[in-house]
Amino acid sequence: MKRSSPIAVTLAFLGYVVMIVPILFVVATAFTDGDALTFPPEGVSLRWFEAAISYEPFTRALVSSLQLALISTVLALGIGIPATLAIMRGRLPGKSVVEGLFLSPLILPELVVGLALFQQFMIHLEMDNFRTLLIGHTAILLPYTVRVTGASLALADPALEDAARGLGASAWRSFWTVTLPVLRPGIISAALLSFVTSFNNVPISLLLQSRDFRTLPVTMLDYVQQNYTPIVAAMSTLLLAGTVVLAFAAERILGFARIFGGINR
C-alpha cells in the first residue's frame, strides 16, 4: 500500500480544520442563552431555535425556497436525463460540444449568469421574477443532472440494452425495464444534489428575487446584516442538520461513492 506524504496529510488536515471549525462555532453559538452572536456561548439554551422556527419571514422564505428548489430540480431532471442519454447512447453529432454546453454553468460565475438573465428575460422580455429565477436555478442544476446520471450510465453495460432490443423489446420497454433501473440511483443522487444546490443558492437568488418572493438564504443574509441575535445561527444549524441527515440517508441507501466513481470513467 502506498503511503501518503506528510505534506499531503498536513494539507488535508488543515483543509478539514478550515472547513469544519467555523461550522462548529456557528453551531455552538446557536445554543447560547445570550442575546448576541458571541463565542464562547453565554450558557446553554434552545430558545433561539424556537425563535427561528416561529420567525415569520424565515418560515415564509423557507416555503419559497422549498418550492423553487423542488420545481427547478424536476425541470433539471426532465431536461438533463434525455440529454445524458443522447450524449452517451445516441448518435449525436458534436457530442463533446453539447456536453460542454450543459456543463458550462459550472464554469461561469453565478453572478454573471444572474445578470444575463436579468437583462435578457426581465428587462427585454419583461418576464416576472419567479419564472426568471426558475430558469436561472434550472440552468445551474443541469451540470449536476447530466454529470451524475451520466456516471450511473457509465457503470452500465450497453450490451444489456442491445440484448433487450434483440429479444424483441421496443425502445420504450427497453428503456423502462433495463436503462431506467440502471439510472435510478444516479437520478435520485442528482435530484438530492440539485435540490440542496438550489435551496442554498445565494448569487442568482439575490439578483433575481422580488419583494414578494424571497428565498431563505438571502433572507438570512439580509437579517444578519441588520441584527446580531443568534437566530440566524439557530436556523443555520437546523438547515445543516437536515442536510447531514439527508446526505447520510442517501449514502446508506444509494452509495454516493459508487455513483460518483463513474464520473471519472
Side-chain angles (χ1 to χ4, degrees):
M1 176 182 288
K2 184 179 179 180
R3 294 184 178 180
S4 300
S5 66
I7 296 178
V9 173
T10 302
L11 291 176
F13 175 76
L14 291 176
Y16 281 113
V17 170
V18 170
M19 290 187 296
I20 294 177
V21 170
I23 296 176
L24 296 178
F25 285 157
V26 172
V27 173
T29 305
F31 289 92
T32 184
D33 193 36
D35 296 325
L37 283 167
T38 57
F39 189 87
E42 301 175 4
V44 179
S45 174
L46 297 176
R47 69 187 183 104
W48 292 112
F49 290 95
E50 181 181 355
I53 295 174
S54 60
Y55 186 56
E56 195 269 339
F58 282 177
T59 56
R60 186 174 63 250
L62 174 61
V63 173
S64 299
S65 292
L66 291 174
Q67 178 186 358
L68 178 63
L70 181 61
I71 298 175
S72 59
T73 297
V74 172
L75 290 176
L77 291 174
I79 299 172
I81 293 174
T84 302
L85 292 172
I87 292 171
M88 301 192 65
R89 290 288 191 266
R91 298 178 180 178
L92 187 67
K95 291 184 179 181
S96 59
V97 176
V98 175
E99 185 177 11
L101 180 64
F102 277 96
L103 299 180
S104 60
L106 289 176
I107 303 173
L108 296 174
E110 292 184 6
L111 286 174
V112 175
V113 175
L115 181 60
L117 291 171
F118 177 79
Q119 291 178 336
Q120 296 300 319
F121 289 91
M122 295 183 65
I123 295 180
H124 294 292
L125 299 180
E126 298 183 353
M127 187 176 292
D128 62 79
N129 295 78
F130 178 75
R131 287 189 293 174
T132 306
L133 191 58
L134 186 59
I135 292 173
H137 275 236
T138 302
I140 64 173
L141 299 185
L142 284 174
Y144 301 103
T145 303
V146 172
R147 210 70 178 101
V148 176
T149 55
S152 288
L153 201 57
L155 297 174
D157 187 357
L160 296 176
E161 302 173 29
D162 296 336
R165 297 295 298 273
L167 293 173
S170 62
W172 173 251
R173 185 172 180 81
S174 176
F175 171 80
W176 189 259
T177 59
V178 178
T179 309
L180 185 60
V182 172
L183 283 176
R184 188 177 293 118
I187 292 174
I188 299 175
S189 300
L192 294 175
L193 185 60
S194 298
F195 183 87
V196 172
T197 300
S198 174
F199 187 90
N200 292 323
N201 180 268
V202 172
I204 292 181
S205 300
L206 183 64
L207 283 172
L208 301 179
Q209 70 179 5
S210 65
R211 181 180 299 177
D212 298 327
F213 188 92
R214 300 179 64 83
T215 60
L216 181 58
V218 178
T219 302
M220 294 170 62
L221 178 63
D222 291 341
Y223 183 91
V224 78
Q225 289 175 342
Q226 303 174 11
N227 301 274
Y228 299 96
T229 62
I231 188 173
V232 172
M235 179 59 73
S236 300
T237 301
L238 292 174
L239 295 178
L240 176 64
T243 303
V244 170
V245 170
L246 187 64
F248 179 78
E251 168 61 25
R252 296 286 295 180
I253 296 172
L254 300 173
F256 279 138
R258 181 175 62 86
I259 298 300
F260 294 140
I263 292 179
N264 297 322
R265 294 194 174 190

